[in-house]
């Protein structure tokens, strides 16, 4: 068999005929929604971030603005920019929006109280009225050890205090925070069921494959139109679809904890452009020497990064699985 | 090898076996625990908690290196050095 793989280069992820590719995705999104789900339109949770904006714009192309509902789901830790940008997006595309503040539901679940209880075990002085908080990830460069988690509290002057997180406290903070994504999922389905619409999911390729999502939270959707797209390609789509420039220029954040935190800092640990190219090289089995030469990264560093990719993929496999049957009845 | 070191290694091997569901004969003293996929991020955090509790030591951020954690041998040396106050 002839090897048709092209040489590795920095522009390898650029989509040559983007309009044709958009049309293919839009047709598939419409067809699956109508034929498989028997639904006539789409509900999309919009956060003012690039991924939800592109997913939203694809849904508008697929169903028309009158058959799409954009829902904003802020809570007390959300950045005020999120709602403003989401509204700007919806206005640009002429789509109806709803705002569902989920703070009360989260208080009902004890989301904030349970999270703060765990933070206080590590920092007894932590008071959510005075400090904001986030989870930190520390990984030693060129190390084969996985990253270690810490909790960071930030005072009103912006001073950060960091401590390593014991497993019990880390798990409680993450489990409490996951109420946010699961509550959003429940609210999106409420509106989708009322209107006989499908819920459009917004995770991109990295989030799905590296496990940066909450099971039955932001992954709890009917269709995910950008789950095969690298972040570089999501930006290419955004420019093509006419997403407002401020959304394109905004740094992607986790928008999960009360302290501001970029996705790069919270999970991915490297700039998106670099991660895209490395992941592409990794999943298409490019020669390490070739990647090293193009990206100007030492080969041993690439081997470590690939080993981390492999570990993330393997250890998050359960997140991507449906509930398993103990005995197969077929 | 002193009895204490041998005992510590035994405790470590038992912990690894119970928490990774690996066959006992796969856990040699020089097996590279992270390179060979015995522990993920959460497993690493739990291992640190276990060391602190079981051996009454404080693991600092600076201690989280391959030199201290890569194998049963490394962990045993690390516990010994911490117990000796180094």
């Amino acid at each position: 068999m002839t090897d048709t793989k092209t040489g590795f280069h920095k522009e390898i992820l650029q989509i040559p005929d983007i309009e044709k590719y958009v049309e293919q995705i839009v047709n598939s999104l419409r067809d699956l929604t109508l034929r498989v789900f028997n639904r006539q339109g789409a509900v999309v949770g919009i956060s003012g971030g690039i991924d939800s904006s592109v997913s939203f714009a694809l849904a508008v192309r697929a169903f028309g603005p009158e058959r799409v509902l954009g829902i904003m789901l802020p809570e007390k830790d959300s950045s005020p920019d999120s709602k403003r940008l989401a509204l700007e997006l919806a206005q640009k595309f002429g789509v109806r929006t709803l705002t569902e503040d989920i703070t009360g539901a989260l208080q009902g679940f004890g989301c904030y109280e349970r999270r703060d209880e765990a933070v206080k075990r590590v920092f007894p002085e932590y008071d959510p009225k005075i400090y904001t908080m986030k989870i930190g990830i520390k990984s030693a460069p060129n190390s084969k050890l996985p990253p270690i988690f810490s909790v960071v509290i930030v005072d009103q002057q912006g001073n950060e205090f960091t401590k390593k997180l014991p497993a019990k406290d880390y798990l409680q903070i993450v489990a409490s925070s996951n109420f946010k994504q699961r509550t959003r999922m429940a609210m999106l389905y409420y509106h989708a069921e009322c209107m006989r619409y499908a819920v459009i999911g917004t995770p991109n390729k990295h989030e799905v494959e590296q496990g940066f999502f909450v099971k039955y939270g932001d992954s709890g959707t009917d269709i995910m139109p950008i789950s095969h797209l690298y972040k570089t390609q999501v930006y290419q789509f955004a420019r093509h679809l006419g997403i407002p420039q401020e959304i394109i220029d905004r740094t992607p954040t986790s928008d999960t904890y009360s302290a501001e935190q970029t996705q790069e800092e919270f999970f991915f640990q490297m700039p998106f452009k670099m991660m895209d190219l490395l992941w592409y090289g990794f999943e298409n089995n490019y020669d390490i020497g070739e990647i090293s030469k193009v990206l100007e990264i030492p080969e041993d560093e690439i081997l470590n990064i690939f080993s981390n990719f492999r570990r993330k993929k393997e250890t998050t496999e359960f997140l991507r699985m449906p509930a398993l049957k103990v005995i197969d009845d077929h | 090898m002193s009895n204490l070191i041998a005992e510590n290694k035994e405790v470590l091997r038992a912990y690894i076996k119970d928490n990774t569901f690996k066959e006992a004969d796969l856990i040699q003293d020089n097996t590279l625990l992270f390179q060979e996929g015995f522990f993920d991020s959460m497993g690493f955090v739990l291992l640190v908690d276990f060391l602190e509790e079981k051996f009454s030591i404080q693991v600092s951020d600076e201690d989280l290196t391959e030199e201290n954690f890569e194998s049963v041998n490394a962990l045993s040396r690390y516990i010994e050095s911490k117990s000796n106050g180094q």
Side-chain angles (χ1 to χ4, degrees):
Chain A
M1 201 171 79
T2 316
D3 183 10
T4 56
K5 196 159 77 176
T6 55
F8 189 81
H9 59 91
K10 281 186 178 170
E11 305 305 320
I12 203 160
L13 291 170
Q14 286 297 310
I15 302 160
D17 186 349
I18 186 134
E19 176 52 30
K20 193 175 164 193
Y21 197 33
V22 164
E23 208 44 41
Q24 192 186 339
I25 291 172
V26 163
N27 288 338
S28 180
L29 181 58
R30 187 190 308 113
D31 184 54
L32 289 169
T33 304
L34 297 173
R35 196 169 43 78
V36 178
F37 293 100
N38 194 22
R39 296 289 182 268
Q40 313 294 322
V43 160
V44 191
I46 44 174
S47 66
I50 190 88
D51 294 331
S52 67
S53 298
V54 168
S55 304
F56 177 81
L58 289 169
V60 175
R61 282 274 293 260
F63 306 103
E66 69 289 350
R67 287 194 177 180
V68 174
L69 176 64
I71 305 187
M72 289 161 289
L73 298 145
E75 47 93 19
K76 70 171 189 176
D77 292 335
S78 300
S79 155
D81 282 347
S82 300
K83 190 175 173 184
R84 180 178 60 77
L85 291 169
L87 272 175
E88 191 184 327
L89 174 80
Q91 274 163 9
K92 178 156 189 181
F93 285 88
V95 171
R96 190 163 69 91
T97 59
L98 276 178
T99 301
E100 291 278 8
D101 190 319
I102 59 168
T103 305
L106 292 172
Q107 282 165 339
F109 278 124
C111 164
Y112 307 110
E113 203 179 334
R114 292 170 206 268
R115 179 195 66 191
D116 294 340
E117 178 188 60
V119 178
K120 275 183 191 165
R121 283 201 295 266
V122 182
F123 279 112
E125 70 272 32
Y126 171 70
D127 176 347
K129 292 189 189 79
I130 298 170
Y131 296 91
T132 54
M133 61 75 57
K134 59 186 175 181
I135 297 269
I137 300 183
K138 191 180 175 188
S139 53
N142 291 325
S143 168
K144 291 183 180 63
L145 297 181
I148 202 88
F149 308 110
S150 55
V151 62
V152 183
I153 61 170
V154 187
D155 69 16
Q156 286 159 341
Q157 287 73 44
N159 301 307
E160 294 194 354
F161 306 90
T162 304
K163 276 190 189 173
K164 179 162 59 65
L165 263 177
K168 181 186 171 202
D169 305 316
Y170 168 76
L171 292 171
Q172 187 171 328
I173 292 170
V174 172
S176 318
S177 303
N178 287 352
F179 278 124
K180 296 184 180 184
Q181 285 85 349
R182 294 193 173 113
T183 303
R184 290 192 173 110
M185 183 273 292
M187 190 59 85
L188 290 174
Y189 270 97
Y190 167 77
H191 288 286
E193 286 171 357
C194 285
M195 304 180 75
R196 280 184 61 78
Y197 280 2
V199 174
I200 306 298
T202 63
N204 64 50
K205 183 179 176 74
H206 288 297
E207 291 173 329
V208 173
E209 294 188 11
Q210 297 190 42
F212 184 42
F213 63 85
V214 176
K215 191 169 188 175
Y216 307 126
D218 44 343
S219 73
T221 66
D222 295 319
I223 308 181
M224 297 196 285
I226 64 163
S227 61
H228 61 295
L229 293 182
Y230 289 88
K231 198 80 178 181
T232 310
Q233 297 171 331
V234 174
Y235 280 103
Q236 202 186 342
F237 266 58
R239 288 188 292 272
H240 182 76
L241 293 165
I243 302 300
Q245 195 59 39
E246 199 180 343
I247 293 177
I248 296 176
D249 293 340
R250 193 183 185 202
T251 304
T253 63
S254 62
D255 213 13
T256 295
Y257 298 109
S258 50
E260 285 238 332
Q261 187 169 40
T262 68
Q263 288 185 2
E264 181 183 329
E265 176 194 0
F266 177 58
F267 187 80
F268 294 115
Q269 305 277 295
M270 68 174 88
F272 283 117
K273 278 184 186 165
M274 188 59 78
M275 183 171 63
D276 276 359
L277 289 166
L278 285 164
W279 190 274
Y280 184 83
F282 164 71
E283 76 174 358
N284 290 286
N285 296 313
Y286 272 91
D287 177 67
I288 301 281
E290 194 183 352
I291 300 171
S292 164
K293 206 171 151 186
V294 173
L295 300 182
E296 297 172 44
I297 301 175
E299 289 190 21
D300 56 347
E301 203 176 310
I302 294 177
L303 283 170
N304 268 341
I305 291 169
F306 281 12
S307 145
N308 284 333
F309 283 168
R310 206 167 291 114
R311 192 185 58 237
K312 272 187 181 172
K313 213 172 150 82
E314 284 168 8
T315 57
T316 59
E317 195 52 49
F318 76 100
L319 293 173
R320 289 176 289 274
M321 286 179 184
L324 301 180
K325 286 183 174 181
V326 176
I327 294 172
D328 192 350
D329 51 4
H330 291 293
Chain B
M1 187 161 59
S2 77
N3 281 345
L4 186 61
I5 294 174
E7 269 172 38
N8 286 350
K9 286 186 176 180
E10 194 52 47
V11 169
L12 289 165
R13 279 193 298 267
Y15 173 83
I16 296 163
K17 181 175 173 291
D18 289 348
N19 289 277
T20 62
F21 303 102
K22 301 275 187 190
E23 296 295 327
D25 58 2
L26 287 176
I27 310 163
Q28 302 298 317
D29 288 355
N30 58 358
T31 301
L32 295 172
L33 301 168
F34 292 91
Q35 279 197 57
E36 295 188 19
F38 281 61
F39 293 113
D40 60 9
S41 294
M42 202 60 238
F44 188 23
V45 177
L46 288 163
L47 175 65
V48 171
D49 283 5
F50 169 74
L51 297 182
E52 290 189 332
E53 195 180 321
K54 183 75 190 173
F55 299 100
S56 305
I57 58 173
Q58 265 315 113
V59 179
S60 69
D61 284 0
E62 294 70 39
D63 293 342
L64 300 169
T65 62
E66 280 175 86
E67 191 190 345
N68 293 333
F69 280 83
E70 67 176 3
S71 63
V72 169
N73 277 336
L75 285 163
S76 163
R77 280 193 301 272
Y78 171 63
I79 293 162
E80 201 190 352
S81 73
K82 289 299 273 192
S83 305
N84 292 337
Q86 288 170 30

